[in-house]
Amino acid sequence: MMKTDNPQKLRADRVWLSEETCDLDDFRRVAQKTTALVDYPNASAVEKNVLIYDSRKVTAAATGEGKRLVLAEICEAFGEGPGVVVFKQAYEDTGIIDRASAIFEAIIEEQHRTWTGGGDHFAKPGANDRIWNSLEKHCLADPENFAEYYGNAIIALASEAWLGPSYQMTAQVNRVNPGGAAQSAHRDYHLGFQSSAVIEQFPAHVHRLSPVLTLQGAVAHCDMPLESGPTLFLPHSQTYVPGYLALKRQEFRDYFEANHIQLPLEKGDIVFFNPALFHAAGTNRSADIKRVANLLQVSSAFGRAMETVNREKMSARLFPALKALRDRLSPEEIANAVAACAEGYSFPTNLDRDPPLGGLAPKTQAQLMREALGEGWSDETFTAVLAEQAQKKLS
Ligand SMILES: [Fe+2]
């Protein structure tokens, strides 16, 4: 390309990124960085450039004054660090995972029986089974298991570290059957789901914004040895700003093919990663492992989630379960379950009917649920007030 010293042209090149100006040498410089364990004092190891955390250790460190330190460390691990973190044994009690797997299996069987379930944006029919919006389906099917599952400290810690409070949880199950082929390298929602023609219409700061609007996670529902095809990652690739466009070019895809890494997971591990990290599900070469992961997509309070979730319906279903579990779950676990279920942000709303009394922001669904749990409301009262609040937010 022609070099220019025309200031208007230089500005336009800064603001408008293009597929054509992506440079493999620039990319190589960021993707070849090494993750140094010394920079992450709460981590246990670096394996293939990925940070490994012992969940019990990091949860213990994230109490009291230590919490801000741990959140900051994890935040930078997703940001300028490798962009991908494995939390080993995030579920010490894998019985919680097994119960959830049984619920998912029943939902998949029902989808097969009724020919519902629809298509998949990344795979051929039959190679895998998807449960879209597994979050809501899980909660409605078994709210007690949902509470234990999403009461998990690591899910809350990673989500808060990257997105701050009031995040919006969504989830989808992916079961890749033996023979299921690898996905092609991609970035995730938002810009990762658009064509170059669309992506090029967004100014550069939106390319930087997209990765902070969501966090990707995967809960391993079974042991995933390499032959079963756990996710392929390219650590540090999230820091290449024009990466949404670069991935449309063959040389960058070839670089991914040659340099990606893959780590085996055990049931109960959770991997979280920056949505701008280059990644792809692997090929399932095993004879008999149905590789099951619950894919978490956590959205910022300020973003639009990909899926519609009926949080009012979920909250009404979860409320009695949380009351029943009060002796078994800690207050933090209950708060985590509420955060994964109820809407945590005040807006959008109808300010005529839902004025911000006593503050700048009207009460959220999550605040209402916490209040009702604290004051021991009856299920009927909670459901009625919940419906009234939802009604007020409509125009
Ligand atoms: Fe993905």
Side-chain angles (χ1 to χ4, degrees):
M1 274 208 321
M2 288 269 288
K3 288 269 180 224
T4 176
D5 52 7
N6 174 339
Q8 285 200 81
K9 173 78 170 75
L10 287 170
R11 172 180 286 154
D13 288 347
R14 276 199 306 275
V15 171
W16 304 116
L17 307 178
S18 70
E19 204 181 298
E20 187 196 341
T21 52
C22 292
D23 185 272
L24 192 61
D25 287 329
D26 290 346
F27 179 67
R28 216 178 258 128
R29 271 190 285 281
V30 306
Q32 283 177 347
K33 270 202 224 144
T34 305
T35 310
L37 184 59
V38 63
D39 293 337
Y40 303 91
N42 288 290
S44 310
V46 173
E47 280 173 34
K48 300 182 186 171
N49 237 358
V50 175
L51 284 164
I52 313 289
Y53 283 84
D54 172 334
S55 297
R56 193 197 292 229
K57 239 178 81 187
V58 73
T59 323
T63 49
E65 303 206 332
K67 186 165 181 189
R68 301 280 284 180
L69 301 177
V70 170
L71 289 173
E73 179 176 324
I74 295 171
C75 180
E76 290 204 343
F78 292 139
E80 45 271 66
V84 49
V85 171
V86 175
F87 294 94
K88 296 302 291 180
Q89 291 181 296
Y91 288 88
E92 280 183 57
D93 174 7
T94 52
I96 296 170
I97 300 269
D98 291 338
R99 173 70 199 129
S101 295
I103 296 162
F104 297 155
E105 191 141 330
I107 294 170
I108 290 171
E109 271 169 36
E110 178 69 11
Q111 287 181 175
H112 283 194
R113 218 177 44 76
T114 55
W115 288 89
T116 53
D120 191 311
H121 40 248
F122 283 123
K124 289 206 185 80
N128 69 336
D129 291 288
R130 277 271 182 179
I131 304 174
W132 302 120
N133 192 8
S134 67
L135 187 88
E136 182 175 332
K137 291 168 185 164
H138 186 175
C139 182
L140 299 184
D142 188 338
E144 297 211 355
N145 180 254
F146 177 95
E148 292 181 302
Y149 191 99
Y150 287 100
N152 186 275
I154 293 295
I155 294 180
L157 194 73
S159 303
E160 200 183 331
W162 188 236
L163 305 165
S166 310
Y167 49 79
Q168 317 167 66
M169 185 67 62
T170 65
Q172 308 171 346
V173 168
N174 194 16
R175 183 174 81 181
V176 179
N177 303 318
Q183 294 174 338
S184 45
H186 62 279
R187 282 180 164 186
D188 277 332
Y189 193 61
H190 296 255
L191 286 186
F193 277 54
Q194 303 294 338
S195 66
S196 285
V198 173
I199 298 168
E200 286 178 357
Q201 294 175 51
F202 288 90
H205 66 248
V206 179
H207 293 241
R208 293 189 192 91
L209 173 69
S210 190
V212 299
L213 289 176
T214 59
L215 178 69
Q216 291 294 131
V219 182
H221 275 246
C222 62
D223 288 344
M224 300 180 179
L226 293 187
E227 55 166 7
S228 72
T231 310
L232 318 172
F233 295 110
L234 187 58
H236 299 279
S237 55
Q238 83 283 1
T239 57
Y240 185 60
V241 176
Y244 292 102
L245 294 161
L247 266 166
K248 316 284 182 188
R249 280 178 42 176
Q250 193 56 44
E251 62 203 289
F252 286 85
R253 303 163 84 93
D254 292 345
Y255 186 90
F256 179 85
E257 280 313 307
N259 295 283
H260 63 70
I261 59 94
Q262 199 177 20
L263 287 173
L265 296 175
E266 292 165 295
K267 180 163 74 179
D269 294 350
I270 309 182
V271 52
F272 274 106
F273 58 99
N274 184 314
L277 192 75
F278 289 18
H279 68 280
T283 302
N284 187 345
R285 295 193 172 84
S286 73
D288 53 4
I289 303 171
K290 288 183 171 178
R291 194 182 81 234
V292 184
N294 193 22
L295 308 176
L296 308 180
Q297 188 173 71
V298 199
S299 278
S300 160
F302 310 139
R304 302 200 205 194
M306 183 186 281
E307 286 186 300
T308 311
V309 178
N310 190 332
R311 298 190 185 274
E312 181 191 342
K313 203 164 154 192
M314 286 171 65
S315 299
R317 187 91 172 106
L318 185 63
F319 184 72
L322 289 179
K323 286 198 296 185
L325 286 167
R326 226 167 339 199
D327 298 330
R328 271 202 5 242
L329 297 184
S330 69
E332 292 78 21
E333 288 170 318
I334 289 181
N336 297 344
V338 170
C341 169
E343 175 57 57
Y345 195 47
S346 304
F347 305 109
T349 190
N350 178 337
L351 290 168
D352 277 327
R353 284 195 295 207
D354 187 25
L357 299 172
L360 291 173
K363 189 184 285 180
T364 68
Q365 198 172 57
Q367 274 175 313
L368 179 69
M369 196 167 182
R370 287 194 293 264
E371 201 176 292
L373 285 168
E375 294 171 2
W377 294 10
S378 72
D379 301 346
E380 294 71 27
T381 305
F382 177 65
T383 306
V385 178
L386 190 66
E388 205 177 293
Q389 185 194 46
Q391 188 62 33
K392 275 203 289 189
K393 289 184 179 291
L394 300 177
S395 69

